[in-house]
Amino acid sequence: MPSSILIIRTSSLGDVVYASAVLHDIRQALPDAQIDWVAEEAFTAVPQLAGARRVIPFALRRWRRRWHDPQNWRELAAFRRTLRETRYDVVIDLNEQVKSALIARAAFGSRHGFNRASIREPLACSFYQFTHAVPRTLHFVERCRRLAASALNYTPEGAPCWQWSWEDQPPPDALLMPPEVPYVMMLHATSRADKLWPEERWRRLIQTCRERGLLVLLPWGNAQEQERSERLALGHDNARVPPRASLPELGALLKKARWVAGVDTGLTHWAAALGTPTVAIFTATSPRQLGVNIQGAHAVDLGNIGALPEVETVLETVDALTQRSNETQQRGNA
């Protein structure tokens, strides 16, 4: 039985969230296993909160901006030393890329990845000792679960599941915390302009929340997103643009929100994985392999490639999710 396991999934945020479902599966199948993870430094909080023993930060996104900086090479050497401190029984690459296969090759342990028919970059298979066939048509989270199960010789059971631990995390900054009133979060920001939902529709959604006595939080991660948050909040006294938050702080806010509506972005997928009623708005991508509805009845995908959902549809959906959540809580309190 493998007792020491290394998982490699470096980015992006939504993919790391989905991939971290394997932590629950492995704990169910191998309760004594020690599981480490390699993730981009910006996303290390996710596998930490999901139960990884240790997360090794990888900073390729920062390093490649200035390849000739000697400090970058020193950090890369330190990363390699850290990676090789532990002799793993099994190394599982969930990233499907040559860069992650090279990380697997640098680690000590039997190396597992997708086979050539299943992987995004077939050249990566050259660096694995064992490859596994996983249908490419499956949802991304199920692809990860099946690869880990095949590498570790168990069968994943039931729907994907996450067990988050916030015990070691400091509480969110007081400036981030809303007053003791119900609040929702609207995640309008994404790295691709074609995945945005029109601002006019967000404003109509905010206005409806005002009529219902709901505070709206509009988080942001860069200057452009902050400007959009401020535009959306303008003229709405129920909308708040909080200070820039760390990933654990955002997770804490997402977890306590009454509901979340967001475009196809990492925080939206994380909100659903946290169990918060979530509506994912798709405009330029398909939810078939990346949608939130695989996570349960509390999460719904709306829209599709070139098919933007209307405000009324979003409102009807969040109403249904809120009612379902209230009913579940009432049954739990009975």
Side-chain angles (χ1 to χ4, degrees), residues 154 181 210 265 272 282 304 309-310 332:
Y154 66 84
V181 297
R210 182 181 184 278
T265 190
F282 288 81
N304 210 317
E310 298 293 335

Side-chain angles (χ1 to χ4, degrees), residues 27-314:
R27 283 195 297 266
Q28 294 295 109
L30 305 168
D32 297 326
Q34 300 295 313
I35 312 167
D36 292 351
W37 195 290
V38 176
E40 270 284 345
E41 58 184 0
F43 308 133
T44 56
V46 172
Q48 284 174 343
L49 290 167
R53 176 185 66 171
R54 179 177 69 157
V55 182
I56 304 171
F58 185 60
L60 182 62
R61 292 187 175 189
R62 177 167 54 81
W63 292 336
R64 66 187 177 191
R65 297 192 197 110
R66 298 178 62 187
W67 274 115
H68 301 295
D69 188 337
Q71 178 61 26
N72 288 348
W73 292 101
R74 287 191 289 270
E75 290 183 14
L76 182 58
F79 165 76
R80 188 173 184 272
R81 288 194 299 271
T82 301
L83 191 67
R84 297 170 71 85
E85 287 175 356
T86 302
R87 290 187 173 272
Y88 297 101
D89 296 316
V90 177
V91 178
I92 305 172
D93 180 14
L94 300 177
N95 225 67
E96 303 186 64
Q97 294 177 294
V98 172
K99 68 177 183 182
S100 55
L102 290 171
I103 296 173
R105 180 68 181 81
F108 291 122
S110 63
R111 302 181 298 277
H112 295 253
F114 295 102
N115 72 1
R116 288 184 177 273
S118 308
I119 201 167
R120 186 190 317 168
E121 296 182 9
L123 181 60
C125 297
S126 305
F127 300 96
Y128 306 138
Q129 293 165 298
F130 304 94
T131 60
H132 306 269
V134 179
R136 299 189 70 170
T137 54
L138 293 175
H139 191 285
F140 176 74
V141 68
E142 292 299 342
R143 281 171 49 77
C144 293
R145 296 180 73 202
R146 290 204 188 186
L147 175 56
S150 184
L152 297 170
N153 195 30
Y154 66 84
T155 301
E157 298 181 356
C161 186
W162 291 261
Q163 289 182 330
W164 306 98
S165 175
W166 301 88
E167 293 178 0
D168 299 328
Q169 295 296 321
D173 188 287
L175 293 174
L176 289 169
M177 292 304 294
E180 294 301 318
V181 297
Y183 72 91
V184 303
M185 294 183 70
M186 297 188 186
L187 307 174
H188 58 81
T190 175
S191 58
R192 284 175 46 183
D194 60 345
K195 291 165 69 173
L196 296 173
W197 200 44
E199 292 187 21
E200 181 270 335
R201 299 190 189 190
W202 284 118
R203 282 191 284 269
R204 287 170 55 196
L205 197 58
I206 293 169
Q207 177 58 31
T208 301
C209 288
R210 182 181 184 278
E211 295 165 0
R212 298 180 178 187
L214 291 172
L215 178 68
V216 176
L217 298 187
L218 298 164
W220 54 276
N222 58 41
Q224 185 180 32
E225 294 171 3
Q226 183 182 18
E227 290 174 3
R228 189 183 304 115
S229 287
E230 291 172 349
R231 285 198 305 272
L232 294 174
L234 189 64
H236 297 99
D237 58 9
N238 66 313
R240 175 182 295 182
V241 180
R244 184 170 182 171
S246 68
L247 202 53
E249 288 173 329
L250 285 170
L253 290 173
L254 291 168
K255 190 172 184 293
K256 295 180 180 180
R258 172 169 288 193
W259 53 261
V260 171
V263 293
D264 177 18
T265 190
L267 289 177
T268 304
H269 298 289
W270 197 16
L274 289 165
T276 303
T278 301
V279 175
I281 298 170
F282 288 81
T283 63
T285 50
S286 170
R288 186 168 63 90
Q289 290 179 287
L290 292 171
V292 300
N293 64 358
I294 195 172
Q295 302 187 46
H298 69 282
V300 174
D301 301 310
L302 296 178
N304 210 317
I305 300 172
L308 282 64
E310 298 293 335
V311 175
E312 291 74 17
T313 306
V314 174

